[in-house]
Amino acid sequence: MSTTGSPGCRMAHALVTDASTDIGRATAIRLAARGSHVFGAVRDDDAAQALRSIGLPRLTPLLVDLGAVENVIRAVERISSHARALDALVHTTQPRGRIPLEVVELADLRRQFELAVVAQLAVTQAMLPLLRAANGRVITVGSMAGRLPVPYRGVHSIAAHSQHALSDVLRQELRGSGVDVVLIEPVIERTDRCSSPWVVADTVVPAFESRRPRASYVCGRHGRALATLAALPPRLRDRLALGVLGLGPMSGMRPVRSRQRAAVPIPAADGA
């Protein structure tokens, strides 16, 4: 990567697409503290002020909702006015929700997919000219659920699987262009969230700074073991994964009734 800012600016430049969230905020802080000029995209004034209050001069809030095409264009213009190129585009939008697929609202599924996958591709397409100019890279914070789906987190798993495929295909298509593509795969913890934001941010650092980054990085507790589990034959993987997650026949699951009056088992609140 190169340092390609405005005249006199010798810093690397990065855009973090959702710096309002825990993972996005931690990532923006970590990269800025290590000397890069980071644009942190946020959706409201409160989030922008929260970033400013950190006191890092290299961390610039970018008040823009990247879920809309016209806003993406505005973000490109804002970054281009300061930097001739972009060294890294870091996607940190995480799909949310914990509900059985049998009763999930389809409108919510569409909305989550739009934010985590379609909007991500739209931003990538818009930023590619700036990334090419810097021989930069696209870094996506996805989820281990992209290769090891988690029951009752179907929306998250589906979106994460799509993010995984998007990164793989984009990496193949951009081979030889100077732009690298990296996937970060945090483990989903029992609290329904991905690994600690700072653990994820510390994994983004080598993906951003390494001369030859790996195609993917797994992070979080038992990450390597879960990656091995994901490679097993599907039915064996299902049995082992359900046991690890405490969702076996004796796991104390309790029923919840959908609007269609169908009893759907979901794990107790302290389960995985």
Side-chain angles (χ1 to χ4, degrees):
M1 293 185 295
S2 60
T3 51
T4 48
S6 56
C9 179
R10 302 294 299 170
M11 290 183 286
H13 293 79
L15 168 63
V16 176
T17 61
D18 196 354
S20 303
T21 62
D22 290 343
I23 289 177
R25 178 183 171 91
T27 299
I29 291 171
R30 192 66 91 217
L31 295 181
R34 292 179 66 85
S36 295
H37 184 176
V38 179
F39 295 93
V42 294
R43 295 185 180 129
D44 56 58
D45 290 321
D46 289 342
Q49 184 55 41
L51 283 188
R52 292 189 193 96
S53 67
I54 296 168
L56 286 171
R58 298 184 181 93
L59 179 53
T60 302
L62 195 63
L63 188 55
V64 58
D65 181 358
L66 294 176
V69 174
E70 59 272 18
N71 292 341
V72 173
I73 295 172
R74 194 161 73 247
V76 172
E77 293 172 347
R78 172 74 184 280
I79 294 172
S80 298
S81 69
H82 172 81
R84 297 189 299 269
L86 186 67
D87 296 273
L89 168 61
V90 187
H91 294 290
T92 58
T93 300
Q94 290 282 310
R96 302 181 183 277
R98 181 174 183 260
I99 187 171
L101 287 179
E102 182 178 355
V103 296
V104 70
E105 291 279 359
L106 296 184
D108 183 55
L109 175 61
R110 291 189 187 97
R111 182 177 63 84
Q112 296 279 2
F113 191 86
E114 181 78 25
L115 288 173
V117 181
V118 178
Q120 175 177 313
L121 179 57
V123 175
T124 301
Q125 289 174 334
M127 296 295 170
L128 271 175
L130 288 173
L131 289 165
R132 280 196 174 97
N135 288 330
R137 57 198 55 167
V138 179
I139 302 171
T140 298
V141 178
S143 167
M144 176 58 71
R147 54 167 127 173
L148 185 63
V150 182
Y152 310 105
R153 294 168 184 80
V155 173
H156 179 100
S157 298
I158 291 168
H161 191 80
S162 298
Q163 288 176 326
H164 195 145
L166 194 159
S167 290
D168 282 349
V169 174
L170 196 61
R171 185 181 66 254
Q172 294 163 358
E173 293 181 350
L174 293 178
R175 183 179 180 181
S177 71
V179 177
D180 213 338
V181 180
V182 181
L183 178 66
I184 310 295
E185 299 177 89
V187 172
I188 297 179
E189 304 288 358
R190 297 174 74 88
T191 55
D192 286 349
R193 302 172 69 178
C194 281
S195 306
S196 160
W198 296 106
V199 169
V200 178
D202 287 339
T203 307
V204 171
V205 168
F208 176 56
E209 296 181 351
S210 295
R211 197 169 184 179
R212 293 177 61 87
R214 301 201 299 264
S216 66
Y217 294 77
V218 173
C219 63
R221 189 173 54 176
H222 308 310
R224 293 183 182 276
L226 292 173
T228 300
L229 179 60
L232 294 175
R235 294 196 183 278
L236 174 59
R237 181 190 66 203
D238 290 348
R239 289 199 302 273
L240 293 175
L242 289 172
V244 169
L245 294 170
L247 300 179
M250 304 300 292
S251 62
M253 298 169 74
R254 56 185 174 81
V256 63
R257 294 190 178 277
S258 71
R259 286 180 295 277
Q260 292 79 21
R261 298 189 298 278
V264 180
I266 62 171
D270 59 351

